[in-house]
Amino acid sequence: MSSLSRELVFLILQFLEEEKFKESVHRLEQESGFFFNMKYFEEKVHAGEWEEVEKYLSGFTKVDDNRYSMKIFFEIRKQKYLEALDRQDKAKAVEILVNDLKVFSTFNEDLYKEITQLLTLGNFRENEQLSKYGDTKTARSIMLIELKKLIEANPLFREKLVFPTLKSSRLRTLINQSLNWQHQLCKNPRSNPDIKTLFTDHTCNPTNGALAPTPVNLPAAAVAKPTAYTPLGAHGPFPPTAAAAANANALAGWMANAAAASSVQAAVVTASSLPVPPNQVPILKRPITPPATLGMVDYQNAEHEQLIKRLRPAQSVEEVTYPTVRQQASWSLDDLPRTVAFTLHQGSTVASLDFHPSHHTLLLVGCNNGEIMVWEVGIREKLVSKPFKIWEMQACTSTFQASAAKDAPFSVTRVTWSPDGTFCGAAFSKHLIHLYAYAGPNDLRQHLEIDAHTGGVNDIAFAHPNKQLCVVTCGDDKLIKVWDLTGRRLFNFEGHEAPVYSICPHQKENIQFIFSTAIDGKIKAWLYDNMGSRVDYDAPGHWCTTMLYSADGSRLFSCGTGKDGDSFLVEWNESEGAIKRTYSGFRKKSNGVVQFDTTQNHFLAVGEDSQIKFWDMDNINILTSTDADGGLPSFPRLRFNKEGNLLAVATTDNGIKILANATGMRSLRTVEAPFEALRAPMEAAAIKASGSSVANVAPVNCKVERSSPVRPSPILNGVDSIARTMEKPKTLDEVSDKIKPWQLTEIIDPAHCRMVTMPESIDAANKVARLLYTNSGVGVLALGSNGVQKLWKWVRNDQNPSGKATANVVPQHWHPSSGLLMTNDVSGVNLEEAVPCIALSKNDSYVMSAAGGKVSLFNMMTFKVMTTFMPPPPASTFLAFHPQDNNIIAIGMEDSTIHIYNVRVDEVKSKLKGHQKRITGLAFSTNLNILVSSGADAQLCIWSIDTWEKRKLVPIQLPAGKVPNGDTRVQFHSDQIRLLVSHETQLAIYDASKMERIRQWIPQDALSAPISCAVYSCNSQLVYASFCDRNIGVFDADSLRLRCRIAPSAYLSQAVLNGSQAIYPLVVAAHPQEPNQFAVGLIDGSVKVLEPTESEGKWGVLPPADNGILNGRTGSSSTASNHAPDQAQR
């Protein structure tokens, strides 16, 4: 059914509701399947009208459609069965068991047997799982809560749970408009027309003199209980009329001939169906009531007239000829950037990319955690990083202020450079855009923050109307807005009926306009005036579409995906408003939205099926494709630089691959060479190496499997409907196809993983108390129990071209030429009782640490102590830099307080009190604007970063019989919402926005010893945990299911294993860019780096999840407790 027919159903539903045709309303809801009336459904469930409940559901889903649907029907039939048992109606219960519940035995035979056994009980509450079953009314209410969650999570109900926002009596209004239109066309219009029927077109009988037409207002009674409507045909809801076509004003070339989409627009036959002379092309405008003069409203102005002249076709529609193909210089496949030059390790999921317009190796990146970065890809260095922060909350709307603190985190939806590269802009998933002024490397300055849209801002672009640089935005509020660089709104374009997905400003000679696309598939065009849209037509696929011009502005393309999963890449004929060519080569069904880009006025590139696919613009068949050596997501973000010799592509492991052609490779070497020349003498002068390198070891090539899990959505309890990659939930059939026998990966032999031990690290009297990677990923820093810090660094050479930490090469035990050691002041300290602590600045320039004495701040290049502060008592037990100001340090103390210390002024700004025992962990979330602290009292405390006031105190839930003892540590997920809490008794995941525990794992089976430490991997997809019995576990971070166990024999020597002392890891650290690499520090002072084998590339395979079909029992033995339902796959 077409979108207009669907909308007509909604109009009829509104009409029936207003006219109190209650039964008809719900029958139409069910038969059309367009709107699921949750209120009606709830009424029927509460009333126990099970037959009607299932009948109504059947209009939207069947039992075996997917796991959500199966669960919905199961819960309903189970409740019906229990009620029959409760009434002691055994005959009815048997009937339900045989006719209704039997279908589920195929999926869970044990459960079906258990249900059957209830017949043998005098009271089914004797069953332990049903012992808390109350009365029927309460049971129905409880079940309904579960049903609503399942319905909201079920993809088949998506976009069917909310009725469109309509003005009252919308159908009557449209009929009145139609009658007004018909009255306008009367040859002899009367001033008071008599409307007697809707079955035929209205005409006024001739009178002695023709009068000016008067708008018709149809009385309400005149449309009561209509029996028939004109069917919706190819051209819209009402028949075309020649008079309307004759009076229509031409708008502009291809815009004028777009397919009609509204009642007034549809009054004209489209160009694709009947030839229309050039002087009689139809106007396309949103529906309005015609004025009291013949002909349409004249929207023409000077720009409009020029646009007509520029774009109007020379031939009639009957004589259309496409422009001849432009002569191109000779080209070959080598012109395409297809060779992987290197990978940039971003550290968070990439949402948007854009190369600078003139500095062709300068890459702007926006991430799902709201962070903005600028990379100089030529030297593979991150020049600037701007974590998300609301710059001026008071300047934002009250609506936004109320929602910002509690809603889902902010993620970037789009980043872009201005045409001259002096500004860059970022759009966010909630309300805001940020503009930065770019003055050169490392100089990205805050320029402007705008509360631009209600809901998400889905796209941002720069434009030059009237030779003034402006910003164009679009959003969930269905609006397009134009702003000047002071934040003043210049234009507000209304007309879309769905959230606006993308915008494409463009200029033809001196005429400037904007294309916009919405998620209902509508494309509109706007001039910079307040006259409304100049075009309204449907994009292929009728869903999410992006439009781009070729670099020279001569050719227009669009690319997108339909709701049914079909993707489209097309070129438009601007003169005719018609599709010129449709490119082939896509998968039949996609489960996301494809992204694309153009380059060199000759090539198109699309990210799909974990590949980059290329087309020649003049050929519909795919030219070539590349998987960039693997590791790409299903729908990778991609962007060419302006010269077309580099292509940036997002990866599954939060990285960016840079692909290049031969010219691009040369440009990268040209940029990199000067930096290397400067770097080499500096390192040679500063570094005195001790240790050796392993000879003839191949460099690391750790590929991420294509099936590697993608980072979870930052939205925990909802759907980001405008997300640029819209992953569709897997159906039950798809899941079943992929189920294979699963076995826990256990690494026992050293040959089954890669491992390197840091040289000069073993010191039995100096156990590793704290362990860090440097933020650059080139070194490992260990703090010993004696207060001495050791640093190991990997150097860049033929064996290790990246210079990053790797298990393939032994690093150097690094110290400056002065021979200084980084030694903390431990005078008067009992080292047996001291709690060492350490923190590293973002740029790796400084490290601060303590070991029972004063806190020392060391220079990482010279190892010199820059300053000391906070002498005991009390002693410092945990340190954390403020994420947005390295001069602010949170210091956890032995006496259970937390000091907020300003290094620059040597002053404690605040002292936080809330714990009962020493502080053992601190973690900041900039998204939530909070600090979370953990203590030896097994409690979590939440503090506001702005006021340092305590928001909440939450005790961790210890297993029965366990007392609060030992360290409790905290670490935020990369989404800055989920929080990993580790204690010797458990691993747990909390939703920090509400401080509710959503996952817990308790030591068991092969990993039953106390936990010594646990951390997230850099991409937050894994959790690495060490145990006091020497085992190491690798868990899936979302479900806390065990993926892999690394036995002591895999990384400890036989001598250590046979020794008298049990050597086990005390601490774990995760590499900041390689998600499958981690390091452990042991009680004998040794430090080891571990990675999976190159052939495997990852630690084990995710175990099968709870199928969610029949019960909430966990499908994996490694998940001991689930106190919240599994989040639905979106």
Side-chain angles (χ1 to χ4, degrees):
M1 185 179 286
S2 71
S3 60
L4 284 179
S5 299
R6 186 175 186 273
E7 291 177 4
L8 181 58
V9 171
F10 281 112
L11 295 177
I12 296 171
L13 285 172
Q14 182 196 44
F15 174 79
L16 293 173
E17 182 70 29
E18 290 174 344
E19 295 298 315
K20 310 299 183 187
F21 294 111
K22 296 295 185 182
E23 291 301 316
S24 300
V25 169
H26 302 312
R27 287 288 74 78
L28 182 55
E29 289 167 353
Q30 177 220 325
E31 290 181 11
S32 67
F34 290 158
F35 173 63
F36 185 83
N37 191 324
M38 188 68 82
K39 183 179 178 182
Y40 175 72
F41 180 73
E42 289 177 11
E43 290 174 358
K44 296 303 175 185
V45 170
H46 280 304
E49 298 179 24
W50 305 119
E51 186 176 343
E52 174 59 23
V53 166
E54 289 208 22
K55 182 179 179 182
Y56 188 71
L57 272 173
S58 67
F60 303 87
T61 183
K62 298 180 178 61
V63 175
D64 56 356
D65 278 345
N66 59 39
R67 60 176 183 156
Y68 301 103
S69 300
M70 186 167 287
K71 177 75 169 171
I72 290 167
F73 280 97
F74 174 76
E75 291 295 334
I76 291 169
R77 294 175 183 182
K78 182 184 73 174
Q79 180 62 29
K80 182 167 61 169
Y81 176 68
L82 293 178
E83 289 183 15
L85 290 176
D86 209 24
R87 297 192 307 266
Q88 299 298 317
D89 189 348
K90 293 290 180 74
K92 183 65 175 177
V94 170
E95 180 185 330
I96 295 168
L97 188 67
V98 173
N99 296 335
D100 296 339
L101 290 170
K102 180 67 175 177
V103 65
F104 303 105
S105 63
T106 307
F107 301 93
N108 195 327
E109 188 174 355
D110 291 339
L111 182 63
Y112 182 73
K113 290 178 180 177
E114 190 175 344
I115 291 174
T116 304
Q117 289 172 0
L118 297 178
L119 288 168
T120 64
L121 302 178
N123 185 340
F124 63 79
R125 293 172 182 82
E126 296 172 21
N127 181 290
E128 183 180 352
Q129 295 183 40
L130 297 171
S131 59
K132 294 183 180 180
Y133 184 96
D135 59 275
T136 298
K137 183 178 179 182
T138 303
R140 289 175 182 173
S141 298
I142 293 172
M143 178 192 67
L144 193 54
I145 293 172
E146 178 69 13
L147 290 181
K148 288 171 72 174
K149 290 179 181 178
L150 290 166
I151 289 169
E152 289 166 0
N154 194 327
L156 296 177
F157 290 82
R158 189 166 297 161
E159 299 179 2
K160 296 181 180 182
L161 299 177
V162 179
F163 197 86
T165 302
L166 304 174
K167 292 182 179 180
S168 61
S169 304
R170 178 62 182 158
L171 187 58
R172 283 201 185 90
T173 300
L174 290 176
I175 293 173
N176 279 334
Q177 291 175 349
S178 172
L179 292 170
N180 283 334
W181 183 264
Q182 295 170 29
H183 189 53
Q184 289 289 334
L185 301 178
C186 286
K187 295 181 179 178
N188 302 292
R190 292 185 176 183
S191 57
N192 295 302
D194 183 19
I195 306 298
K196 294 182 177 179
T197 181
L198 296 176
F199 295 162
T200 58
D201 287 351
H202 161 74
T203 56
C204 293
N205 294 326
T207 60
N208 291 333
L211 301 174
T214 301
V216 176
N217 287 309
L218 187 67
V223 292
K225 300 183 181 179
T227 57
Y229 287 91
T230 305
L232 289 180
H235 307 300
F238 298 99
T241 60
N247 290 324
N249 292 318
L251 176 63
W254 82 290
M255 297 181 185
N257 293 342
S262 68
S263 59
V264 174
Q265 294 159 2
V268 185
V269 180
T270 61
S272 61
S273 57
L274 291 176
V276 182
N279 64 339
Q280 292 184 1
V281 289
I283 188 167
L284 289 170
K285 198 75 183 83
R286 63 180 181 274
I288 59 170
T289 302
T293 57
L294 291 176
M296 299 292 285
V297 176
D298 187 0
Y299 287 123
Q300 298 179 2
N301 53 28
E303 277 194 349
H304 174 84
E305 290 294 342
Q306 293 178 44
L307 190 59
I308 294 171
K309 294 174 183 177
R310 173 70 181 84
L311 298 179
R312 181 179 291 151
Q315 300 88 7
S316 71
V317 176
E318 294 175 290
E319 301 170 343
V320 170
T321 57
Y322 294 132
T324 57
V325 176
R326 296 173 295 114
Q327 294 298 313
Q328 297 280 347
S330 60
W331 61 271
S332 72
L333 287 178
D334 293 337
D335 295 330
L336 288 170
R338 295 182 297 153
T339 303
V340 178
F342 48 79
T343 299
L344 304 174
H345 298 286
Q346 180 62 38
S348 51
T349 304
V350 175
S352 182
L353 303 153
D354 196 28
F355 277 100
H356 193 277
S358 54
H359 300 294
H360 301 306
T361 57
L362 204 62
L363 179 64
L364 178 65
V365 181
C367 299
N368 275 0
N369 64 359
E371 192 171 10
I372 308 297
M373 274 138 292
V374 177
W375 286 84
E376 173 49 76
V377 300
I379 58 173
R380 311 178 197 182
E381 287 192 5
K382 191 184 298 181
L383 301 181
V384 183
S385 176
K386 298 287 185 181
F388 175 78
K389 183 180 181 181
I390 300 170
W391 296 349
E392 192 174 352
M393 178 66 85
Q394 298 307 315
C396 300
T397 61
S398 57
T399 303
F400 173 68
Q401 292 184 42
S403 65
K406 61 183 179 180
D407 282 356
F410 288 74
S411 58
V412 174
T413 54
R414 180 87 152 86
V415 291
T416 186
W417 290 102
S418 63
D420 60 1
T422 57
F423 290 93
C424 65
F428 296 95
S429 57
K430 299 288 180 182
H431 288 252
L432 297 181
I433 64 167
H434 283 171
L435 298 184
Y436 291 91
Y438 180 73
N442 305 308
D443 192 359
L444 199 62
R445 302 174 186 174
Q446 294 181 4
H447 178 75
L448 181 65
E449 179 178 65
I450 303 176
D451 186 350
H453 293 269
T454 301
V457 184
N458 299 322
D459 204 358
I460 182 172
F462 288 91
H464 273 100
N466 304 317
K467 299 182 180 180
Q468 175 188 8
L469 183 61
C470 294
V471 178
V472 186
T473 62
C474 65
D476 287 347
D477 54 7
K478 309 174 186 177
L479 300 176
I480 299 105
K481 299 181 182 182
V482 183
W483 315 83
D484 67 15
L485 293 189
T486 68
R488 182 168 61 96
R489 191 177 69 197
L490 303 178
F491 298 100
N492 191 68
F493 298 140
E494 300 181 34
H496 276 293
E497 298 179 356
V500 186
Y501 180 71
S502 71
I503 45 179
C504 177
H506 193 60
Q507 180 172 349
K508 287 282 187 181
E509 293 182 353
N510 62 337
I511 307 304
Q512 304 205 9
F513 52 92
I514 303 168
F515 284 113
S516 62
T517 71
I519 65 167
D520 59 359
K522 296 296 181 184
I523 299 179
K524 294 179 182 288
W526 319 78
L527 291 173
Y528 290 90
D529 55 26
N530 293 309
M531 300 302 184
S533 65
R534 302 309 212 275
V535 66
D536 185 345
Y537 69 102
D538 291 326
H542 305 282
W543 199 30
C544 297
T545 295
T546 306
M547 305 186 81
L548 287 177
Y549 274 89
S550 57
D552 60 8
S554 64
R555 304 175 73 172
L556 177 63
F557 302 89
S558 73
C559 182
T561 304
K563 291 183 180 179
D564 59 359
D566 290 329
S567 295
F568 300 88
L569 175 63
V570 303
E571 181 179 4
W572 293 90
N573 185 310
E574 289 186 279
S575 298
E576 300 303 324
I579 292 174
K580 178 177 180 178
R581 56 171 57 91
T582 299
Y583 299 89
S584 61
F586 291 101
R587 292 178 58 191
K588 290 298 182 184
K589 295 294 179 182
S590 299
N591 58 353
V593 179
V594 294
Q595 310 290 310
F596 87 120
D597 199 7
T598 73
T599 189
Q600 302 177 31
N601 296 314
H602 198 103
F603 298 112
L604 300 163
V606 176
E608 191 227 21
D609 196 20
S610 301
Q611 302 176 70
I612 307 301
K613 299 180 177 180
F614 297 95
W615 282 265
D616 175 358
M617 289 180 177
D618 298 321
N619 192 324
I620 65 170
N621 296 315
I622 190 170
L623 183 62
T624 186
S625 65
T626 178
D627 67 355
D629 297 339
L632 302 188
S634 297
F635 302 94
R637 305 289 192 277
L638 68 151
R639 179 68 62 183
F640 288 104
N641 70 347
K642 298 304 179 279
E643 291 184 329
N645 54 31
L646 298 178
L647 176 63
V649 184
T651 67
T652 54
D653 58 350
N654 300 341
I656 303 165
K657 289 195 176 186
I658 303 299
L659 281 64
N661 59 16
T663 305
M665 288 292 192
R666 286 194 295 271
S667 71
L668 292 174
R669 287 194 290 270
T670 301
V671 174
E672 186 174 16
F675 287 89
E676 289 301 313
L678 288 173
R679 182 182 292 140
M682 289 173 60
E683 291 183 350
I687 299 174
K688 179 182 177 183
S690 61
S692 60
S693 298
V694 176
N696 301 321
V697 180
V700 178
N701 183 18
C702 184
K703 297 182 181 179
V704 176
E705 294 293 331
R706 197 173 296 177
S707 59
S708 175
V710 179
R711 173 187 156 186
S713 166
I715 296 180
L716 296 180
N717 296 308
V719 178
D720 183 5
S721 60
I722 312 299
R724 297 283 163 162
T725 302
M726 300 187 181
E727 296 289 348
K728 297 181 181 178
K730 295 179 175 63
T731 65
L732 186 66
D733 292 335
E734 291 170 337
V735 174
S736 300
D737 290 342
K738 296 182 180 179
I739 292 178
K740 295 179 180 178
W742 178 83
Q743 191 171 7
L744 174 68
T745 300
E746 297 196 284
I747 296 176
I748 299 172
D749 192 304
H752 295 155
C753 67
R754 291 179 287 156
M755 187 272 293
V756 63
T757 301
M758 304 301 100
E760 301 179 12
S761 64
I762 298 177
D763 182 354
N766 184 28
K767 62 186 178 184
V768 181
R770 295 289 183 264
L771 188 66
L772 298 172
Y773 275 91
T774 60
N775 292 302
S776 60
V778 300
V780 170
L781 181 65
L783 172 60
S785 57
N786 63 355
V788 178
Q789 292 159 121
K790 293 182 180 180
L791 175 64
W792 294 271
K793 282 178 130 181
W794 281 258
V795 295
R796 184 177 301 188
N797 53 32
D798 291 340
Q799 292 175 317
N800 186 23
S802 71
K804 301 290 186 180
T806 170
N808 283 0
V809 176
V810 176
Q812 297 173 341
H813 181 201
W814 193 93
H815 52 80
S817 55
S818 65
L820 281 178
L821 299 178
M822 280 193 286
T823 305
N824 281 283
D825 180 5
V826 293
S827 55
V829 174
N830 182 347
L831 292 178
E832 292 295 322
E833 297 178 359
V835 180
C837 50
I838 189 171
L840 187 62
S841 66
K842 282 186 181 178
N843 57 8
D844 293 340
S845 298
Y846 303 98
V847 62
M848 61 176 176
S849 60
K854 293 183 288 187
V855 177
S856 300
L857 185 67
F858 296 90
N859 183 303
M860 282 283 282
M861 284 298 294
T862 65
F863 285 9
K864 289 182 179 179
V865 177
M866 309 301 294
T867 185
T868 60
F869 48 92
M870 303 300 292
S876 305
T877 57
F878 203 95
L879 303 170
F881 280 100
H882 191 289
Q884 294 162 335
D885 188 346
N886 273 343
N887 291 305
I888 304 296
I889 303 169
I891 307 175
M893 311 300 288
E894 179 71 31
D895 68 353
S896 80
T897 62
I898 302 166
H899 292 193
I900 306 303
Y901 177 75
N902 189 313
V903 179
R904 181 171 293 171
V905 298
D906 190 21
E907 181 180 344
V908 175
K909 292 294 186 180
S910 298
K911 186 181 290 188
L912 315 183
K913 297 181 180 180
H915 288 278
Q916 304 301 315
K917 295 183 180 180
R918 63 181 169 85
I919 304 301
T920 59
L922 295 168
F924 283 94
S925 170
T926 51
N927 279 3
L928 298 177
N929 222 31
I930 60 173
L931 167 68
V932 176
S933 60
S934 59
D937 55 0
Q939 297 196 88
L940 308 175
C941 205
I942 297 83
W943 314 86
S944 167
I945 291 178
D946 293 332
T947 63
W948 299 115
E949 293 177 352
K950 185 169 68 174
R951 289 188 184 178
K952 200 170 185 179
L953 184 67
V954 178
I956 68 169
Q957 298 175 23
L958 296 173
K962 297 289 184 179
V963 296
N965 192 24
D967 290 359
T968 303
R969 301 187 189 183
V970 288
Q971 182 189 3
F972 271 103
H973 187 283
S974 57
D975 67 9
Q976 296 276 290
I977 299 292
R978 282 167 282 185
L979 181 75
L980 173 65
V981 178
S982 60
H983 184 263
E984 64 180 26
T985 64
Q986 65 186 277
L987 300 175
I989 306 294
Y990 283 74
D991 177 353
S993 63
K994 298 174 285 190
M995 280 315 294
E996 293 179 358
R997 194 183 74 189
I998 54 179
R999 292 286 183 276
Q1000 184 188 47
W1001 182 89
I1002 296 171
Q1004 58 191 274
D1005 302 330
L1007 297 177
S1008 57
I1011 299 165
S1012 59
C1013 188
V1015 295
Y1016 272 127
S1017 63
C1018 63
N1019 61 1
S1020 297
Q1021 292 181 9
L1022 303 174
V1023 171
Y1024 297 113
S1026 57
F1027 293 78
C1028 294
D1029 64 355
R1030 310 180 184 187
N1031 279 298
I1032 299 170
V1034 183
F1035 298 80
D1036 176 72
D1038 284 349
S1039 62
L1040 289 184
R1041 294 187 177 94
L1042 183 63
R1043 294 172 61 111
C1044 175
R1045 180 180 75 90
I1046 303 171
S1049 56
Y1051 69 97
L1052 294 176
S1053 67
Q1054 200 61 43
V1056 170
L1057 291 172
N1058 295 334
S1060 58
Q1061 184 183 10
I1063 305 300
Y1064 65 91
L1066 271 179
V1067 285
V1068 182
H1071 191 283
Q1073 288 119 26
E1074 295 290 346
N1076 286 292
Q1077 183 187 133
F1078 67 95
V1080 291
L1082 290 86
I1083 65 169
D1084 66 351
S1086 63
V1087 175
K1088 300 174 185 290
V1089 169
L1090 288 91
E1091 291 183 279
T1093 60
E1094 290 183 349
S1095 60
E1096 288 294 330
K1098 59 183 179 179
W1099 298 107
V1101 179
L1102 179 66
D1106 168 24
N1107 59 23
I1109 294 175
L1110 300 177
N1111 57 20
R1113 298 172 185 172
T1114 302
S1116 168
S1117 63
S1118 62
T1119 303
S1121 175
N1122 270 336
H1123 290 265
D1126 285 347
Q1127 301 301 327
Q1129 293 182 6
R1130 302 283 182 182

